[in-house]
Every structure is written in structure tokens, then in C-alpha cells.
């Protein structure tokens, strides 16, 4: 044990009669954050360290051991620019958590992207008109930025986030506008039936909030919204599903405000609480279109990570690399429409890498952080660049008086995202190519090859299988025949 840990714990023991780990972490949060080692589970490390220090001091843990939020420790470590990983490590390897630390790039990973772009013909790249009348290729500009990067960035997978400020030195405001509006530039509009419902709800709320003398505004809003929604003629859930879901969701959310659930949830709920009480309402919008799954392994990523794993008899079978487990996945016909570039490339491959399909296809993703939501849209309007665009950030308000600023925009955005998926996921997603069609090769991620142990040769009389290195973003190659 390092001296600094023992000294800090000894100092803590001298000042308290309740020497337990939870109290130590609470009273020495800065020390814990700054001195947590990288690449090991926080909880296990500090439990072992604290127990060993007390043993050396001849002291027993005192007081009831309360819960320690190690996730909170990791998040604060990020804010203080420390490198603390909250992910779990195993004997086989370490799960690399992109949410808690940056991953450094190897020279090989950086060179792979450069080599790929250099081999592209001009006709396969995204041609951009410059403000000065000259022309440039978007892929070449992306490479210029990545060559100076030492840590992971979405650009290493040829993903261009149009809202990322890193592109300001490379593209002018007009040039970025051209990039942003290329191809399918906007989400579909909503039918008038839904617009009328949402506009009526907006009018109800605004009429009440405009009367500043009115007491119990939130109660009045909830009662009036509920009364209006109850009086609406029923919608057929089979023929008018979106209208049916809109009314049902507005009723559910009004119920939350009736009992002040959003304001009560502001006092430290878990991520699961937000999913159960609020965000799962949005999942139901897709019940008639795609399957929504939470905490499921991403098949598209599993295939990408293991696409060259095979038994060839010349070397040991590589360990299977585990896939990431997104908070939310949309699937249809076993094809995922979730967040991430690897989902986009697999869906396009299911359409035979058809160029026309790729140009019209979109992947949409919801980013939920407590009460806040952003919609992400990924597509490939030109070249082999996956463009990423973000909506405005909206927030579930804590009070019904702000219903119009959060709830209505979030419902509209959800329905528009669904409409975009319905338009882009054509029936020919799993078609047979009957005629020669132009295809496109959108690259997968060029980054993250995990450090893996070399397995000993398996016995000829036995079938060998094992868990692989856990990695959210590895590019290690392996066969996709295994499932988790």
C-alpha cells in the first residue's frame, strides 16, 4: 500500500469515531478522485485499501456502512480532468469505457485512416465548394485534423459532427452550412391531426400561465389538459397509432405533474428512475414500427468487432470481443437502427451497400441525460463521410407551467424521428440484387485494438471457447458466429 493512502486514512481515523469507508469517501472526496488508479474498479480498490489500512492501524470499521455512489466519484473525476475508469476489469481484460476516459491512439490506427482515404478515387469523395471558388474534399480535411490527434475522436471513423467546434479552422460558416444541408436536410413534418392536438395543449397552458394572478397554476394546467384529452374522440390504435400514442403520452405526463413527480425526481434519482417514469414513454411511440430494447448487446458492433474471427488451423482461435450495450436499441428484421456509426454501416450492408439506399438512409439516436434530451441524426449524403447532426437540447420541466418549453417539443421530435425512420427503412433492406447497382464502401471504425492475451493451442479433442476482452470500441477482428 502506498504511504499516501495509509496516511490519509490514518488522519481520517484520528478525527472520527465512525471510521468506515463511506464516511472516508464523503469527507475526502477530492483525495479519492485525484488518487484513484486507472484501469481498476473503483469500489474494489478502495474497499481493499481501506480495509488493509485499518488492519495495519489495529482499528475496526465502525458505524453502519452506507452506500457509496462510485458513479458519482467517476463523474467528478472527469470534471477534474483525471483519468479514472469506472468500468469493471476482469482476468481476461478491461472494458474500456468511453464515457469515463479518453483512449490514446496508436500509430497504426492513425495510419489506417490515412491509407483508406488516400486510396479513394476523387469520384468516391465528398466534393465541397470553397468560399474562394476552389474545391476541396471533405475526407481530406478530416484527415488533416486526425493527423494531429493523440486521442480518440469520432472523425477517426470518418464521422463529421457538424456542431463540433473543432471544425471551425477547416470549414467556414458557409461551407459548414453546405455540409449541414446536403441531401436530406430536415426531418419530416407531422400530420395536421397531431399538430392540432399539440397546438391545443399549448393554448391551454399559455392561457393559464398568462394570468399571473391565478393561484395553483400547475394544478389548473393539469386539470384542463386532462379534461381536454379525455374529451377527444378516440383514435384507432391500428389505423391512427401516432395520434393514439400522442394522446396516451400526454395523459401519462399530465399524471406525473398532478403529483409533482418531475420536481420530486430532481432530488437525486437514479438513471433507471428516469427511464421507468419518463423516457420509457417515448419507447412506446415505436411499438408499431420497430422493437425497442434496453441494456442489450449491439449485434452490429459484435459483428464489426469479430468479423475476421475464424478457425483456420494455423493459430489459436482469437477470443471473442464483447459488444457494447447501448441504453437503447431499435431493431427491425434483426437490423439495428440505434445510435452509432457501426449500426449505420451494418444496415447499409444489409441493403447490399446500395448507393441509393445509403444516400437516403438515416440513423437516429436519443441522448438522454437526466431531464435533458437531444436527438442525433446520422446519414451519408456524399462521399464516405457519416454526417452527424444534433437537435436543440430540450428538457423535461419540473413544473407544468413550462409544459410548452419541454414536453411538446420532445413529443414532436420523437414523432418526427419515427417518421424519418419509416421513410428510410425501405422494404428492400434485405433484398436480393437482381441487377447491377452502384455500391458504396463506408468504412468501419479504424480505432481501438485491445491488448489481448495469446491463448495456448486448444486440445485437438476438445472444442475451446472463452469470454473475450470487453471493449466498447475495439476493432479487433473475429468471427461473428458467436453470440453472447
Amino acid at each position: 500500500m502506498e504511504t499516501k493512502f495509509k496516511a490519509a486514512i490514518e488522519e481520517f481515523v484520528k478525527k472520527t469515531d465512525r471510521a468506515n469507508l463511506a464516511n472516508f469517501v464523503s469527507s475526502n472526496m477530492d483525495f479519492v478522485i485525484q488518487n484513484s488508479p486507472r484501469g481498476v474498479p473503483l469500489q474494489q480498490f478502495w474497499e481493499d485499501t481501506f480495509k488493509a489500512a485499518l488492519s495495519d492501524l489495529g482499528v475496526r470499521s465502525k458505524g453502519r456502512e452506507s452506500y457509496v455512489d462510485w458513479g458519482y466519484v467517476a463523474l467528478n473525476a472527469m470534471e477534474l480532468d483525471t483519468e479514472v475508469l469506472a468500468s469493471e476489469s476482469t482476468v481476461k481484460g478491461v472494458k474500456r469505457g468511453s464515457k469515463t476516459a479518453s483512449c490514446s491512439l496508436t500509430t497504426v490506427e492513425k495510419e489506417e485512416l490515412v491509407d483508406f482515404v488516400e486510396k479513394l478515387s476523387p469520384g468516391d469523395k465528398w466534393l465541397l465548394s470553397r468560399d474562394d471558388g476552389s474545391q476541396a474534399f471533405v475526407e481530406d480535411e478530416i484527415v488533416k485534423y486526425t493527423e494531429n490527434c493523440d486521442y480518440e475522436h469520432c472523425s477517426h471513423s470518418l464521422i463529421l459532427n457538424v456542431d463540433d467546434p473543432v471544425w471551425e479552422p477547416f470549414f467556414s460558416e458557409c461551407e459548414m452550412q453546405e455540409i449541414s444541408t446536403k441531401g436530406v436536410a430536415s426531418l419530416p413534418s407531422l400530420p395536421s391531426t397531431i399538430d392540432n392536438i399539440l397546438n391545443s395543449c399549448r393554448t391551454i397552458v399559455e392561457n393559464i400561465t398568462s394570468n399571473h394572478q391565478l393561484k395553483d397554476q400547475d394544478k389548473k394546467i393539469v386539470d384542463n389538459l386532462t379534461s381536454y384529452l379525455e374529451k377527444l374522440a378516440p383514435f384507432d390504435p391500428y389505423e391512427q397509432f401516432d395520434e393514439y400514442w400522442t394522446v396516451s403520452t400526454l395523459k401519462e405526463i399530465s399524471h406525473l405533474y398532478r403529483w409533482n413527480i418531475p420536481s420530486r425526481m430532481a432530488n437525486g434519482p437514479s438513471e433507471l428512475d428516469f427511464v421507468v417514469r419518463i423516457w420509457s414513454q417515448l419507447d412506446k411511440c415505436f411499438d408499431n414500427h420497430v422493437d425497442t430494447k434496453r441494456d442489450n448487446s449491439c449485434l452490429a458492433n459484435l459483428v464489426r468487432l469479430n468479423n475476421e474471427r475464424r478457425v483456420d488451423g494455423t493459430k489459436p482461435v482469437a477470443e471473442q470481443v464483447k459488444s457494447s450495450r447501448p441504453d437503447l436499441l431499435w431493431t427491425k428484421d434483426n437490423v439495428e437502427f440505434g445510435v452509432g456509426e457501426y449500426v449505420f454501416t451494418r444496415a447499409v450492408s444489409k441493403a447490399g451497400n446500395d448507393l441509393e439506399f445509403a444516400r437516403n438512409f438515416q440513423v437516429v439516436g436519443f441522448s438522454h441525460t437526466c431531464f435533458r434530451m437531444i436527438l442525433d441524426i446520422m446519414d451519408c449524403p456524399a462521399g464516405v463521410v457519416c454526417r452527424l447532426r444534433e437537435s436543440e437540447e430540450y428538457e423535461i420541466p419540473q413544473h407544468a407551467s413550462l409544459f410548452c418549453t419541454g414536453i411538446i417539443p420532445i413529443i414532436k421530435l420523437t414523432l418526427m424521428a419515427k417518421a424519418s425512420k419509416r421513410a428510410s427503412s425501405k422494404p428492400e433492406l434485405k433484398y436480393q440484387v437482381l441487377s447491377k447497382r452502384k455500391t458504396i464502401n463506408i468504412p468501419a471504425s479504424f480505432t481501438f485494438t485491445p491488448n489481448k492475451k495469446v491463448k495456448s493451442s486448444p486440445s485437438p479433442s476438445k472444442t475451446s471457447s472463452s469470454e473475450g476482452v470487453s471493449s466498447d470500441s475495439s476493432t479487433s477482428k473475429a468471427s461473428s458466429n458467436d453470440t453472447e
Side-chain angles (χ1 to χ4, degrees):
M1 181 192 307
E2 292 187 38
T3 304
K4 62 180 178 180
F5 295 118
K6 184 175 181 180
I9 296 172
E10 182 177 8
E11 185 67 21
F12 164 74
V13 170
K14 292 178 181 179
K15 296 179 180 179
T16 181
D17 57 355
R18 298 175 62 84
N20 59 54
L21 179 58
N23 289 338
F24 172 75
V25 173
S26 177
S27 58
N28 296 272
M29 182 63 73
D30 289 344
F31 176 83
V32 171
I33 290 171
Q34 294 169 6
N35 292 280
S36 293
R38 178 173 178 152
V40 298
L42 296 179
Q43 181 176 354
Q44 189 64 51
F45 171 81
W46 283 107
E47 285 179 350
D48 293 345
T49 300
F50 192 77
K51 182 178 179 180
L54 292 188
S55 177
D56 290 346
L57 295 172
V59 178
R60 296 182 60 185
S61 181
K62 299 177 182 179
R64 182 178 178 181
E65 194 70 53
S66 56
Y67 171 74
V68 177
D69 188 347
W70 295 107
Y72 177 81
V73 174
L75 288 173
N76 276 268
M78 292 170 60
E79 293 176 0
L80 293 177
D81 198 29
T82 62
E83 294 181 320
V84 178
L85 286 176
S87 56
E88 293 294 321
S89 65
T90 67
V91 175
K92 300 287 184 179
V94 178
K95 179 183 289 184
R96 301 172 69 168
S98 60
K99 293 181 179 180
T100 54
S102 294
C103 296
S104 58
L105 296 172
T106 66
T107 302
V108 173
E109 289 169 341
K110 296 170 70 172
E111 289 177 348
E112 283 184 350
L113 173 60
V114 176
D115 292 341
F116 177 85
V117 173
E118 286 181 347
K119 292 177 182 178
L120 290 174
S121 65
D124 292 330
K125 294 182 180 181
W126 185 340
L127 185 62
L128 178 70
S129 298
R130 290 288 197 184
D131 292 346
D132 59 5
S134 63
Q135 293 181 321
F137 293 112
V138 175
E139 288 84 353
D140 294 343
E141 297 303 308
I142 291 177
V143 168
K144 290 178 183 178
Y145 173 73
T146 60
E147 286 179 328
N148 296 319
C149 293
D150 294 320
Y151 295 90
E152 63 168 319
H153 187 265
C154 63
S155 58
H156 293 99
S157 296
L158 284 178
I159 299 174
L160 193 155
N161 184 345
V162 299
D163 295 308
D164 193 334
V166 302
W167 300 117
E168 291 178 2
F170 297 88
F171 305 107
S172 68
E173 185 175 343
C174 291
E175 291 166 355
M176 186 56 76
Q177 179 68 14
E178 179 182 338
I179 293 174
S180 301
T181 57
K182 181 77 172 179
V184 183
S186 61
L187 290 171
S189 58
L190 298 180
S192 58
T193 49
I194 294 177
D195 272 337
N196 291 339
I197 294 171
L198 296 178
N199 288 336
S200 296
C201 291
R202 182 186 300 275
T203 300
I204 290 172
V205 175
E206 290 176 349
N207 287 341
I208 295 174
T209 55
S210 62
N211 185 355
H212 301 291
Q213 305 301 320
L214 185 64
K215 295 182 179 180
D216 296 327
Q217 281 191 354
D218 283 5
K219 181 179 181 302
K220 189 72 172 177
I221 290 171
V222 170
D223 291 342
N224 284 19
L225 283 176
T226 303
S227 177
Y228 163 71
L229 295 169
E230 293 289 350
K231 292 177 181 179
L232 285 173
F235 292 99
D236 186 338
Y238 297 100
E239 301 296 330
Q240 300 170 296
F241 179 86
D242 289 347
E243 289 84 352
Y244 174 83
W245 172 83
T246 300
V247 173
S248 299
T249 301
L250 288 168
K251 288 180 180 178
E252 288 289 338
I253 293 176
S254 297
H255 170 79
L256 295 179
Y257 284 110
R258 185 183 303 281
W259 305 111
N260 300 318
I261 299 299
S263 61
R264 288 156 58 186
M265 289 182 67
N267 299 318
S270 68
E271 180 181 0
L272 182 60
D273 291 328
F274 283 105
V275 171
V276 171
R277 299 310 302 267
I278 296 176
W279 300 122
S280 62
Q281 300 298 326
L282 304 187
D283 296 1
K284 300 173 185 178
C285 180
F286 305 91
D287 285 351
N288 71 327
H289 184 50
V290 294
D291 299 322
T292 55
K293 301 176 182 179
R294 291 186 179 272
D295 196 31
N296 268 259
S297 294
C298 178
L299 179 59
N301 200 29
L302 183 68
V303 171
R304 178 179 69 81
L305 297 178
N306 298 284
N307 67 342
E308 290 184 5
R309 183 173 183 256
R310 59 180 56 86
V311 179
D312 59 13
T314 62
K315 55 182 178 295
V317 180
E319 294 179 349
Q320 181 185 359
V321 180
K322 289 184 177 180
S323 170
S324 58
R325 300 174 71 89
D327 290 338
L328 176 65
L329 272 175
W330 296 348
T331 65
K332 184 177 183 180
D333 296 331
N334 202 34
V335 177
E336 292 153 334
F337 298 90
V339 296
E341 176 263 354
Y342 45 81
V343 175
F344 185 92
T345 56
R346 181 170 186 264
V348 172
S349 70
K350 283 290 184 179
N353 290 319
D354 181 64
L355 179 61
E356 182 182 356
F357 177 87
R359 294 293 182 242
N360 292 282
F361 181 67
Q362 292 181 328
V363 167
V364 296
F366 293 92
S367 300
H368 296 152
T369 306
C370 299
F371 288 106
R372 301 186 299 278
M373 185 188 100
I374 293 177
L375 180 70
D376 302 308
I377 305 172
M378 180 175 286
D379 58 6
C380 182
V384 293
V385 174
C386 285
R387 176 181 62 184
L388 183 64
R389 294 172 292 172
E390 297 179 349
S391 71
E392 292 184 38
E393 181 180 86
Y394 294 102
E395 184 172 354
I396 299 290
Q398 296 183 29
H399 301 284
S401 58
L402 299 175
F403 198 89
C404 299
T405 65
I407 301 301
I408 291 179
I410 286 174
I411 288 178
K412 292 184 68 173
L413 207 56
T414 302
L415 289 165
M416 293 165 72
K418 178 182 179 180
S420 73
K421 291 312 305 160
R422 186 184 291 121
S424 65
S425 54
K426 302 176 183 178
E428 61 265 26
L429 184 63
K430 299 175 74 176
Y431 72 102
Q432 288 184 326
V433 181
L434 301 178
S435 60
K436 186 67 176 177
R437 304 174 66 126
K438 191 172 183 180
T439 60
I440 183 173
N441 178 24
I442 302 175
S445 173
F446 289 108
T447 56
F448 312 131
T449 301
N451 297 320
K452 300 173 65 176
K453 295 182 179 179
V454 178
K455 287 172 49 178
S456 58
S457 299
S459 170
S461 61
K462 295 181 180 180
T463 301
S464 176
S465 64
S466 65
E467 294 291 331
V469 176
S470 297
S471 176
D472 285 347
S473 47
S474 165
T475 57
S476 176
K477 307 295 185 181
S479 169
S480 61
N481 293 333
D482 296 336
T483 56
E484 289 189 276

